[in-house]
Amino acid sequence: MTITKKFKSILVLTLIAVALFASGCTEENPSAEEIATQMMDKQDSIQDYSYTMHMTSYAEGKTEEIECKYMFKKPDKFKEIITRPGEGDQIDVSDGEIAWSYFQDTNTVLKEKLPNNSGAPKEDYINTINEFLNDHNVTLLGVESVDGRTAYLLEIIPKETDRDYELISKIKIWVDQETWMPLRYEFYNADGNLTDKNEIRDLKVNTGSQTLSFNSKSRMAQK
């Protein structure tokens, strides 16, 4: 799974948790459709964003760190630069129709035509929410500061161990109060030990002036 796909899957998880938390403040429990509407309403207000994500993994006494600089502009343009210590950068660029990946170590480029309809239908969101409602407990632990932003700290615990979460006992997510975007994730194993930590820094949302440069795409296409 690429960095982008992994982050998007976690983002969906965060949006569901935020929707559950926000809707939990009402007197009546909302339906899955109402939760889905809240999720999509939050995303509809976001036109562009950028951030730097620092990812740290702890496994078998070793620490691995990766940095990812990411820019996104609606409807489907993005650019990311992935940096691993001791390795060349990986640059991924998409104009919504074609995606390019450049690997600095090997000086090679991969080009892929994207499907015309890559978005998930509403029914898929509702099914995901229903599974989440049935399989997880979401708790608000408090409010903390992350990278100078005030964030809600949510704890997500699977009710039962399944194939998708067999190595995870709980997840902590810090959600920005202003933008409702995730700022930090922590994953814990069955022994309660921290296994992965993802930190979002220098988050910018709806700057208005943000544009994606496709110079890298043009250079890659010429290789």
Side-chain angles (χ1 to χ4, degrees):
M1 180 180 293
T2 64
I3 297 298
T4 301
K5 289 181 179 178
K6 178 181 178 181
F7 179 71
K8 285 182 178 179
S9 65
I10 298 175
L11 180 57
V12 170
L13 181 70
T14 305
L15 290 172
I16 296 172
V18 170
L20 287 173
F21 164 68
S23 59
C25 297
T26 63
E27 294 181 358
E28 298 181 359
N29 293 327
S31 66
E33 290 81 0
E34 290 171 334
I35 295 175
T37 299
Q38 290 186 47
M39 290 168 55
M40 289 183 279
D41 286 346
K42 297 293 183 184
Q43 289 303 292
D44 285 345
S45 64
I46 298 177
Q47 299 300 316
D48 61 72
Y49 59 84
S50 64
Y51 59 79
T52 299
M53 180 162 61
H54 293 262
M55 294 165 282
T56 308
S57 298
Y58 310 92
E60 300 178 353
K62 298 180 180 180
T63 301
E64 180 182 3
E65 296 183 355
I66 300 174
E67 179 183 273
C68 175
K69 293 183 179 180
Y70 189 78
M71 302 171 62
F72 173 82
K73 187 174 183 65
K74 280 187 175 180
D76 45 21
K77 296 180 179 180
F78 73 84
K79 177 180 180 179
E80 67 178 349
I81 302 174
I82 303 171
T83 302
R84 298 176 175 86
E87 300 182 19
D89 290 349
Q90 175 182 334
I91 303 174
D92 299 318
V93 180
S94 173
D95 62 1
E97 297 180 359
I98 304 293
W100 289 262
S101 294
Y102 170 65
F103 301 90
Q104 189 176 39
D105 277 353
T106 58
N107 194 34
T108 57
V109 176
L110 295 179
K111 179 179 177 181
E112 177 184 9
K113 182 174 177 58
L114 300 176
N116 293 329
N117 185 11
S118 57
K122 182 178 179 181
E123 290 76 12
D124 286 350
Y125 280 105
I126 294 174
N127 289 336
T128 301
I129 293 169
N130 279 325
E131 291 177 4
F132 193 86
L133 283 167
N134 294 329
D135 298 338
H136 300 80
N137 292 313
V138 182
T139 305
L140 173 65
L141 297 183
V143 177
E144 296 185 359
S145 178
V146 178
D147 196 30
R149 292 176 172 270
T150 303
Y152 294 112
L153 171 55
L154 305 176
E155 182 179 69
I156 301 172
I157 299 179
K159 292 180 180 179
E160 296 181 5
T161 301
D162 59 25
R163 184 170 55 186
D164 293 331
Y165 294 94
E166 59 184 0
L167 300 179
I168 300 175
S169 65
K170 66 179 177 181
I171 305 170
K172 290 184 177 180
I173 302 178
W174 286 256
V175 181
D176 183 25
Q177 282 189 350
E178 180 183 356
T179 64
W180 291 91
M181 293 189 67
L183 299 176
R184 181 174 178 177
Y185 313 93
E186 289 183 354
F187 298 84
Y188 295 82
N189 62 18
D191 296 325
N193 298 321
L194 178 65
T195 59
D196 293 273
K197 179 173 65 175
N198 299 343
E199 297 177 284
I200 305 296
R201 301 176 186 174
D202 195 27
L203 173 66
K204 294 182 176 64
V205 178
N206 290 342
T207 61
S209 60
Q210 179 179 322
T211 57
L212 289 176
S213 171
F214 290 94
N215 291 334
S216 297
K217 179 193 74 174
S218 300
R219 290 196 297 269
M220 286 189 283
Q222 296 171 1
K223 289 182 179 294

